[in-house]
Amino acid sequence: MIMRSERPKGPRLLGSVAGQVFVLTAVIVVLLSAAAVVALVLQARYDSERDARNRSLAAAETLAHAPGIEAALESPSPTAVLQPLAEAARKASGLDFITVMTPDGVRYTDARPELIGRRAAGDIQRAAGGESFTELYTGAPADGVRAIVPVRDTHGVVIGLVSTGIELENISDVVEGQLPVIVSAGVATLMLAIGGAFLMSRRLRRQTRGLGPDELSRINEHHEAVLHAVREGVMIIGPDRRLMLANDEARRLLGLTAEAEGRHVTELGLEPRTAALLASGREATDEVHLSGDRLLAVNVRPTEGLGGRHTGTVMTLRDSTELASVSGRAEETGRRLHLLYDAGVRIGTTLDVVRTAEELADVAVPRFADFVTVELLEPVLRGEEPSGAYTEMRRAALSGVRGETPLQPVGDVIRFVVSTTPMAVALDNLRAILVADLTTADGWRAQDPEGAAQALSYGLHSLITAPLQARGVVLGMANFWRADAPEPFDDEDLSFAEELAARAAVSIDNARRFTREHTMAVALQRSLLPRALPEQTAVSVSSRYLPAEAGVGGDWFDVIPLPGARVALVVGDVVGHGVHAAATMGRLRTAVLNFSTLDLPPDELLGHLDELIDRIDRIDHASGVTDEESGPDRAEIRARITGATCLYAVYDPTNGRCTLASAGHPGPALVHPDGRVEFPEIPAGLPLGLGVGGVLYESVELTLPEASRLVLFTDGLLEDRGRDFDTGLRLLRDALARPGRTPEQTCADVLAALLLPAPSDDIALLVAEARLLEAGRIAQWDVPADPAAVGQIRQAASAQLAAWGLDDIVFTTELILSELVTNAIRYGGEPIRVRLLRDRGLICEVSDSSSTSPHLRYAATTDEGGRGLFLVAQLAERWGTRYTERGKVIWAEMETGGGNADAEAPVPDLDALERLAW
């Protein structure tokens, strides 16, 4: 502990360090305060003079450009006209003089009438030449700051000068008026600073106990002598875990550099266990720590300052290497303990089976063995459960002190044909086997005589083979070989190899189980994503899905054809990873597909989807999903289901409009045909399934130019451990800013720019190039609310179909239009409109202002009507109803490959069918 000096009996203010610091501080404060007052006075004078210049120039410019100044100067008596005006302006502006002069400086006006008619002194020629300026003027009638501005006529010729200014005496009065305030502020600042210096000196006096410089120097010399003379390492650590002091012995034992003071304990290059002890701040008594080739006995105690305040810790070190030499095996034990520690840190850093096997081989070479081979069962490499048969394995890792080796390379199949080989015996007994001399291993040589001979001639002379088993199941084998080291393995090495293999087996099993779950999740995820994008003409689409390396998430995308040649583009993300996230994604994708058949606007669809997720959560909670077979507890399952995001967009190729709504999902990127990239503002609604109830989402409508690209993505594309969202957004903008790229090329550009080698989150990317339906493929008519108009619509539609070359479906189209138009006239409201779209098939749409939806029913034989929708359903491939802001649209789609009516069959009376239809 640091020695403490007693507080001196009498007051020694000036002789103490605190008193000297106070005097020096007071002197410095006085000098600074005086300098500050002088600087403020000079600044005030400078500011006043600058203000006078600005005011003078502004007044002169205003008067020189005032209306009527030109006429006044050209009048017979300029003085009579301008003198009253100039005096009024001078008094109103607070200036000391306003003078109007001829170009050669003769005064027309002046604050002193006796000067009128006299020539003004100073640099008049600059103003006569057309230049406006300000100057510090000295001379009669008084010194001052003045501005001179030329007056020009309509031809730009200088016809007079205007001079305005303020006398220096008035400027000085302003500065002198500020002196009391400046001096008072300086005095107040001085008093506060001296008071602060006094308080600081009092605190310093308490901390130094009133000691003088000589006494402090003597105490410091004593402390230095004690610290550096003892044969025990001493380190003083501050409360912030930074090294404050280390004596010579501590530097020698720990290998500290001269720049170690001031660094954090984790930055001193200490052994991890020692650094962790110092960082924790806990007490320790004679703990044994390894430092290089030394064993150190470590003691750690906290230190206290005045009032019991914690000021850090003190660590003492003793070199215990001599004790290890007395035991004869402590050094080897420490080396192996250190190796086991390294194995625990370096093995299992990833959840990859092969990489874990390689880490086992690398950590044992060369400190324990010269060569290490690791063989694993085939099911383990695939992430599957071992079958129990282990006579055949595949080499997964090979490491050695030399590059060339007679051992079979990685990837070869290793078979244990002879039951007396060390490997087969170890597997049968489920324990490690030691072969001190390989020349005596008859079974090993019998299995592969040629390979054994090459190994012996290469120098391999000793072997330990250890099964890799976890949870009582064999996963593979680890073989430790010695060639360059002359001493063979012994029994202590055997125990160490068993411990090392046991630790590695646990990591390999964890990686195997993760591989199995990851493979299952990837398979489930890909099975739930669209296998092929549907055919449609609204957009040209390309997509990418990349699972995360460390765990599959719940990202998904979809392209859904909608009635009226429209298409829905969907991209979403489920919170969490693994099989549960993939399964939840499948449920949400199915729900979106189902809701899309209702042809809901994007905001309403997201609202229904949010309600559905909340209902799923309540059902799972009430049905007790959290049994032992399901694995996670109820709270974990709920966390996996809720918190999804989704972006839903509907694009109409007939008008190029795209309606979008977001549930907490990043908005899309819009790439214009010229390569310009923008990120439209999309109202960010709450994520789905938060359970708040009654969430309202907002839609926004965009107009997509033809050949523009709409890019939808999940946040895994932009964000990662080493990159934030804004950086990813900038990279995405740069990757998209290339005109003339196809959707497939755009996907490749984006992934090349943003894809990381090991993404930590799933990535879903959907690129859609907008197309517009040609005007020649659209026909529409307004229908009056008159039953007689039905026949006219049939005739117009027949003519349009004939022009399109669709004569084979003319009769079917006429019948469907008759039924739909008749229904709109009888039960709907105006305006009524008919539209035909020639897409991959023929789409018939009839819209009206009524929101009442018709229903399909079966009419009895005695009913006079009610068969209209039944006929439409029978004749069309698909039909349905969608609602608009001002009514509804009933649509029907038909294939154009062939007609639905026999050409030779008699044509029914359509007017009669209309009377029976509804």
Side-chain angles (χ1 to χ4, degrees):
M1 300 295 291
I2 298 177
M3 299 174 57
R4 296 182 180 177
S5 301
E6 294 294 332
R7 185 186 299 271
K9 300 295 184 178
R12 301 170 51 192
L13 179 60
L14 294 180
S16 65
V17 172
Q20 295 177 12
V21 170
F22 170 72
V23 172
L24 179 61
T25 304
V27 171
I28 293 174
V29 168
V30 170
L31 293 177
L32 290 177
S33 299
V37 169
V38 172
L40 289 175
V41 171
L42 295 177
Q43 182 65 35
R45 182 173 184 84
Y46 171 77
D47 291 341
S48 299
E49 183 179 329
R50 183 181 58 183
D51 180 64
R53 288 176 180 269
N54 293 337
R55 288 173 54 195
S56 300
L57 182 61
E61 290 282 359
T62 302
L63 188 57
H65 295 87
I69 186 68
E70 179 182 351
L73 290 174
E74 294 177 352
S75 64
S77 179
T79 299
V81 176
L82 294 175
Q83 177 67 12
L85 297 176
E87 280 300 294
R90 180 184 67 80
K91 294 177 181 179
S93 60
L95 299 174
D96 290 331
F97 62 87
I98 295 179
T99 303
V100 181
M101 302 176 287
T102 63
D104 55 356
V106 177
R107 294 181 176 90
Y108 286 138
T109 68
D110 199 89
R112 300 181 181 183
E114 65 272 12
L115 298 179
I116 296 175
R118 296 183 182 181
R119 185 180 303 277
D123 192 2
I124 304 299
Q125 296 303 318
R126 291 174 59 191
E131 179 183 356
S132 299
F133 64 93
T134 61
E135 64 179 355
L136 187 63
Y137 173 77
T138 56
D143 298 341
V145 173
R146 73 174 180 179
I148 303 178
V149 177
V151 180
R152 301 176 185 271
D153 61 8
T154 56
H155 301 290
V157 178
V158 176
I159 61 174
L161 304 177
V162 176
S163 174
T164 61
I166 300 176
E167 296 179 358
L168 289 180
E169 180 181 356
N170 295 332
I171 296 176
S172 300
D173 292 342
V174 173
V175 176
E176 291 173 359
Q178 296 177 356
L179 278 178
V181 177
I182 296 174
V183 173
S184 300
V187 172
T189 303
L190 176 62
M191 298 303 296
L192 289 175
I194 292 178
F198 177 73
L199 294 176
M200 181 181 67
S201 67
R202 287 189 59 186
R203 180 175 180 84
L204 183 59
R205 186 166 184 263
R206 286 198 303 269
Q207 292 178 341
T208 60
R209 301 178 181 274
L211 298 176
D214 295 337
E215 294 170 313
L216 288 177
S217 299
R218 186 167 58 253
I219 292 175
N220 181 66
E221 291 173 357
H222 292 168
H223 284 190
E224 290 289 329
V226 171
L227 283 175
H228 296 290
V230 297
R231 298 302 298 168
E232 189 173 75
V234 179
M235 295 177 62
I236 301 178
I237 311 298
D240 58 353
R241 302 293 182 264
R242 294 184 178 275
L243 178 63
M244 299 174 60
L245 177 67
N247 67 352
D248 298 339
E249 184 67 8
R251 293 178 182 275
R252 184 183 69 84
L253 294 176
L254 298 177
L256 300 178
T257 63
E259 298 82 13
E261 276 85 355
R263 293 186 179 180
H264 196 272
V265 293
T266 57
E267 302 173 354
L268 298 176
L270 304 178
E271 292 294 324
R273 185 162 170 259
T274 307
L277 172 62
L278 291 176
S280 66
R282 66 178 178 86
E283 294 187 21
T285 302
D286 289 336
E287 286 191 8
V288 178
H289 287 247
L290 190 64
S291 176
D293 56 352
R294 295 184 179 90
L295 289 177
L296 305 180
V298 177
N299 292 273
V300 179
R301 292 292 184 272
T303 60
E304 295 182 358
L306 296 176
R309 180 173 54 88
H310 175 69
T311 59
T313 55
V314 172
M315 182 175 76
T316 60
L317 312 166
R318 293 195 311 275
D319 191 351
S320 302
T321 308
E322 292 78 6
L323 298 176
S325 64
V326 172
S327 64
R329 302 299 298 173
E331 182 178 354
E332 183 66 18
T333 301
R335 185 176 62 84
R336 288 176 178 171
L337 288 175
H338 191 250
L339 179 56
L340 282 178
Y341 174 80
D342 281 353
V345 173
R346 294 172 54 184
I347 298 177
T349 58
T350 66
L351 291 173
D352 181 83
V353 174
V354 174
R355 180 58 191 153
T356 305
E358 293 173 348
E359 290 169 345
L360 168 60
D362 292 339
V363 79
V365 175
R367 290 188 288 174
F368 179 67
D370 296 325
F371 295 92
V372 176
T373 60
V374 181
E375 291 82 56
L376 298 177
L377 295 170
E378 289 284 357
V380 175
L381 292 170
R382 297 192 299 267
E384 302 172 0
E385 199 73 32
S387 61
Y390 39 76
T391 59
E392 185 176 295
M393 299 182 184
R394 187 172 297 277
R395 181 149 293 169
L398 169 61
S399 181
V401 294
R402 284 179 274 172
E404 297 181 358
T405 173
L407 301 174
Q408 291 177 254
V410 173
D412 276 14
V413 176
I414 309 299
R415 297 180 177 86
F416 310 115
V417 179
V418 179
S419 60
T420 58
T421 60
M423 295 78 172
V425 174
L427 290 172
D428 289 339
N429 297 325
L430 295 181
R431 62 182 179 85
I433 296 297
L434 166 64
V435 182
D437 187 0
L438 282 175
T439 59
T440 63
D442 297 332
W444 173 66
R445 290 187 297 168
Q447 178 168 275
D448 183 10
E450 182 179 353
Q454 293 178 357
L456 292 174
S457 62
Y458 184 78
L460 298 177
H461 62 82
S462 188
L463 165 69
I464 293 179
T465 178
L468 298 173
Q469 53 181 335
R471 298 180 297 110
V473 178
V474 174
L475 306 174
M477 291 287 299
N479 300 307
F480 305 92
W481 311 78
R482 278 188 178 172
D484 292 2
E487 66 275 5
F489 289 115
D490 55 24
D491 291 337
E492 292 186 3
D493 293 324
L494 181 64
S495 301
F496 176 79
E498 287 182 331
E499 177 67 20
L500 187 60
R503 295 192 179 194
V506 173
S507 297
I508 291 175
D509 189 53
N510 290 337
R512 177 194 63 80
R513 297 170 69 181
F514 170 78
T515 301
R516 178 184 61 184
E517 182 174 348
H518 182 74
T519 303
M520 292 172 56
V522 170
L524 177 61
Q525 179 86 337
R526 293 194 180 278
S527 67
L528 295 175
L529 288 172
R531 296 174 182 247
L533 299 179
E535 295 184 0
Q536 40 76 41
T537 58
V539 291
S540 175
V541 182
S542 184
S543 63
R544 293 289 190 278
Y545 170 75
L546 298 173
E549 183 184 45
V552 177
D555 293 13
W556 92 93
F557 64 89
D558 216 337
V559 178
I560 307 171
L562 297 178
R566 297 169 303 135
V567 66
L569 306 173
V570 192
V571 66
D573 186 2
V574 176
V575 172
H577 292 84
V579 176
H580 286 284
T584 303
M585 178 276 295
R587 298 166 82 175
L588 294 184
R589 178 173 177 253
T590 302
V592 172
L593 285 171
N594 290 334
F595 285 138
S596 68
T597 60
L598 302 177
D599 214 345
L600 299 173
D603 53 342
E604 294 184 21
L605 185 142
L606 293 180
H608 285 293
L609 192 60
D610 178 70
E611 294 178 2
L612 175 64
I613 295 177
D614 187 59
R615 195 159 56 247
I616 290 174
D617 285 341
R618 290 198 300 268
I619 292 174
D620 287 347
H621 184 83
S623 60
V625 175
T626 60
D627 55 8
E628 295 181 356
E629 297 179 357
S630 63
D633 60 10
R634 188 172 304 172
E636 184 177 351
I637 285 185
R638 182 170 181 82
R640 290 180 183 272
I641 292 179
T642 59
T645 64
C646 182
L647 178 65
Y648 187 85
V650 176
Y651 174 67
D652 189 347
T654 62
N655 52 21
R657 294 176 182 171
C658 182
T659 307
L660 307 95
S662 171
H665 198 86
L670 177 59
V671 186
H672 291 266
D674 59 358
R676 181 167 50 90
V677 181
E678 64 174 307
F679 295 94
E681 291 290 338
I682 307 297
L686 291 176
L688 302 170
L690 295 183
V692 297
V695 179
L696 297 178
Y697 296 96
E698 184 179 354
S699 294
V700 66
E701 188 175 275
L702 306 176
T703 299
L704 305 186
E706 188 169 11
S708 62
R709 287 164 285 162
L710 192 67
V711 182
L712 288 73
F713 51 87
T714 56
D715 56 3
L717 179 68
L718 304 183
E719 291 181 309
D720 208 270
R721 289 181 291 266
R723 184 175 66 203
D724 58 19
F725 187 86
D726 293 336
T727 302
L729 208 63
R730 187 180 68 255
L731 294 175
L732 178 61
R733 180 189 296 272
D734 296 340
L736 294 175
R738 300 179 62 185
R741 306 292 285 177
T742 65
E744 184 67 24
Q745 292 171 335
T746 300
C747 286
D749 294 341
V750 170
L751 294 184
L754 284 91
L755 184 61
L756 297 173
S760 59
D761 196 4
D762 287 16
I763 295 174
L765 175 64
L766 186 64
V767 180
E769 182 177 309
R771 299 173 179 170
L772 290 177
L773 199 62
E774 300 174 3
R777 291 176 171 266
I778 304 174
Q780 58 184 8
W781 302 275
D782 291 329
V783 182
D786 183 3
V790 177
Q792 300 173 3
I793 293 299
R794 285 202 308 266
Q795 293 176 3
S798 299
Q800 185 62 63
L801 293 179
W804 283 343
L806 302 178
D807 300 277
D808 53 342
I809 60 172
V810 169
F811 170 70
T812 305
T813 304
E814 288 183 349
L815 183 56
I816 291 175
L817 283 177
S818 296
E819 304 303 337
L820 296 181
V821 174
T822 301
N823 177 64
I825 293 175
R826 291 183 178 179
Y827 306 110
E830 293 187 299
I832 302 171
R833 181 168 296 168
V834 174
R835 187 171 72 163
L836 298 181
L837 302 176
R838 184 186 177 189
D839 193 27
R840 294 180 179 272
L842 181 68
I843 303 172
C844 301
E845 295 181 346
V846 177
S847 61
D848 62 75
S849 60
S850 172
S851 59
T852 303
S853 176
H855 297 281
L856 178 66
R857 67 185 181 90
Y858 292 91
T861 55
T862 57
D863 290 346
E864 295 184 0
R867 299 176 179 83
L869 284 182
F870 179 77
L871 290 175
V872 172
Q874 292 296 315
L875 295 174
E877 289 294 323
R878 294 192 307 158
W879 75 280
T881 304
R882 71 172 180 270
Y883 294 94
T884 63
E885 295 181 357
R886 296 182 177 84
K888 67 176 181 298
V889 176
I890 304 178
W891 55 269
E893 293 185 6
M894 291 166 290
E895 292 185 353
T896 57
N900 291 330
D902 190 350
E904 297 181 357
V907 178
D909 185 356
L910 297 180
D911 293 328
L913 288 174
E914 291 168 13
R915 291 191 295 272
L916 295 174
W918 304 90

